[in-house]
Amino acid sequence: AQKVTQAQTEISVVEKEDVTLDCVYETRDTTYYLFWYKQPPSGELVFLIRRNSFDEQNEISGRYSWNFQKSTSSFNFTITASQVVDSAVYFCAAGVQGAQKLVFGQGTRLTINP
Amino acid sequence: DTAVSQTPKYLVTQMGNDKSIKCEQNLGHDTMYWYKQDSKKFLKIMFSYNNKELIINETVPNRFSPKSPDKAHLNLHINSLELGDSAVYFCASSQGRLLMNTEAFFGQGTRLTVV
């Protein structure tokens, strides 16, 4: 069975600081998919990124970047030059081929203070 | 147009009542899901349907009965509501039984409060 751990329950930083959200996953499958979702105060879940287990390339999208390290089973998320609008709960999730479900981490509540 | 829409957004009801939450997606996806988010923000899958066929039922009490009249709809009916059912329920959809080529798109959530 898969398991996703987000050890940081809450993080609070001042605007413009860089912040990294950690995600560690466990799975016995060789083919799996990793995701990050954002849940802003309004409550909806917003998809940020999907990565498959065969693609360890890091990804950058604007101020967001993701570091996928199979050796440490981690898929960390970094926000550069954070902004108040980045304040949200961020979820890391994993899915395995054929299982047809996402297993979510506990979420990290990120607060960006002005 | 909203891709995955749930109604109602808020639902307050008394213990023992029966209630339904509706979900519709206009993405042409063939797989739909219900997830439950508890008061600690923990998200857990409840059900998954592919082409109207139930493929995942994660040890949810049988008071919860999903119904998929067609690929675009997955409704959740809850009988004899209990206080512990209070949570936010998310509907989601994706294309295909595998997660390989797609992500799941989530609705806005339905906040159910049982009093």
Side-chain angles (χ1 to χ4, degrees), chain A residues 4-61:
Chain A
V4 177
T5 303
Q6 295 178 253
Q8 304 147 308
T9 308
E10 293 192 36
I11 300 175
S12 182
V13 300
V14 176
E15 204 172 16
K16 295 187 184 151
E17 285 186 21
D18 298 347
V19 58
T20 295
L21 283 61
D22 298 334
C23 173
V24 173
Y25 62 91
E26 293 175 34
T27 179
R28 284 192 286 265
D29 290 73
T30 54
T31 302
Y32 52 89
Y33 308 90
L34 302 170
F35 302 77
W36 276 93
Y37 282 85
K38 174 182 180 179
Q39 188 174 38
S42 48
E44 72 272 25
L45 280 163
V46 179
F47 165 79
L48 295 178
I49 190 171
R50 175 176 54 83
R51 221 58 189 147
N52 73 54
S53 51
F54 301 113
D55 184 0
E56 274 192 86
Q57 271 196 328
N58 292 331
E59 177 141 347
I60 298 175
S61 175

Side-chain angles (χ1 to χ4, degrees), chain A residues 33 35 37 39-40 42-47 50 52 89 91 94-107 109, chain B residues 9 31 33 35 37 40-45 48 55-56 58 90 94 96-108:
Chain A
Y33 308 90
F35 302 77
Y37 282 85
Q39 188 174 38
S42 48
E44 72 272 25
L45 280 163
V46 179
F47 165 79
R50 175 176 54 83
N52 73 54
V89 179
F91 291 94
V96 299
Q97 188 167 332
Q100 202 53 31
K101 67 177 181 181
L102 292 177
V103 173
F104 283 83
Q106 304 92 316
R109 182 179 297 278
Chain B
K9 192 169 181 187
T31 306
Y33 313 80
Y35 281 81
Q37 185 174 43
K40 294 183 178 169
K41 293 285 189 180
F42 185 58
L43 268 160
K44 193 171 190 303
I45 192 164
S48 172
I55 55 174
I56 291 178
E58 286 280 307
F90 283 96
S94 66
R97 293 188 67 139
L98 303 177
L99 291 168
M100 192 160 48
N101 296 314
T102 186
E103 66 275 8
F105 290 84
F106 284 80
Q108 296 250 349

Side-chain angles (χ1 to χ4, degrees), chain B residues 22-40:
Chain B
K22 295 187 176 180
C23 179
E24 176 181 6
Q25 53 95 3
N26 62 6
L27 298 165
H29 289 165
D30 60 5
T31 306
M32 296 184 72
Y33 313 80
W34 278 107
Y35 281 81
K36 179 180 179 180
Q37 185 174 43
D38 63 23
S39 58
K40 294 183 178 169

